[in-house]
């Protein structure tokens, strides 16, 4: 009986080894030819296009967030008499406002935005802000379908134009897109 179990075990191992050896042999294919260089580069080109589309979307979203943060800083807080004032997160200082904005804008643009909004007036011990918008269009009112991306966009810079002719440019700083320019053409 032990002999039968041993023989059955050896037979089973032999079958498993033979099956494994047969399954690892290359099989001749008659159904389709091997991929050529043309068929293997097409998916890569499509993947690169999708990657640039994703980068473009990141640039667009970064510009929207930048405009939202400017609204948060300069157009949200009000004094007791209803005047728009610098949001207290900036602690009533242009330097702190610029520092806050540099997370969303390049340094030059952050300074331009702060300079535009901050006035010499005070209300409730806070700086009164300019009510005129800095941006030539309200990007927050657009949808991604309302914009056209520049064909020359790269992984480090994205430009796009709104339907009303305003071109926004974002660039990568420390692996994050920040708004660098907003110009009406």
């Amino acid at each position: 009986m032990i002999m039968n179990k041993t023989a059955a075990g050896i037979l089973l191992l032999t079958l498993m080894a033979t099956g494994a050896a047969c399954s690892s042999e290359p099989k001749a294919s008659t159904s389709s030819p091997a991929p050529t260089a043309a068929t293997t580069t097409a998916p890569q080109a499509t993947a690169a296009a999708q990657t640039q589309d994703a980068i473009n979307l990141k640039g667009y979203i970064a510009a929207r967030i930048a405009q939202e943060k400017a609204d948060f800083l300069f157009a949200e807080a009000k004094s007791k008499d209803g005047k728009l004032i610098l949001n207290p997160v900036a602690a009533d200082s242009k330097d702190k406002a610029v520092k806050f904005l540099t997370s969303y804008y390049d340094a030059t643009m952050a300074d331009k935005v702060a300079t535009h909004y901050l006035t010499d007036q005070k209300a409730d011990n806070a700086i009164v802000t300019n009510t005129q918008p800095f941006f030539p269009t309200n990007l927050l009112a657009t949808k991604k379908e309302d914009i056209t991306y520049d064909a020359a966009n790269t992984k480090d810079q994205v430009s796009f134009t709104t339907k009303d002719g305003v071109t926004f440019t974002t660039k990568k700083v420390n692996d994050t897109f920040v708004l660098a320019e907003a110009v009406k053409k």
Side-chain angles (χ1 to χ4, degrees), residues 39-111:
T39 59
T40 57
T41 57
Q44 292 170 352
T46 304
Q50 291 173 347
T51 301
Q52 188 60 51
D53 287 345
I55 292 168
N56 287 346
L57 187 58
K58 286 179 184 181
Y60 170 69
I61 291 170
R64 286 178 56 100
I65 290 171
Q67 191 168 15
E68 183 180 82
K69 293 305 179 179
D71 288 350
F72 167 74
L73 201 57
F74 303 113
E76 206 171 87
K78 291 186 178 183
S79 65
K80 291 176 188 171
D81 60 355
K83 292 180 182 177
L84 289 176
I85 57 172
L86 179 61
N87 195 310
V89 299
D92 201 30
S93 160
K94 179 183 176 185
D95 291 339
K96 290 190 179 179
V98 170
K99 184 178 179 183
F100 175 83
L101 291 174
T102 56
S103 294
Y104 311 99
Y105 296 86
D106 75 351
T108 303
M109 184 81 166
D111 189 61

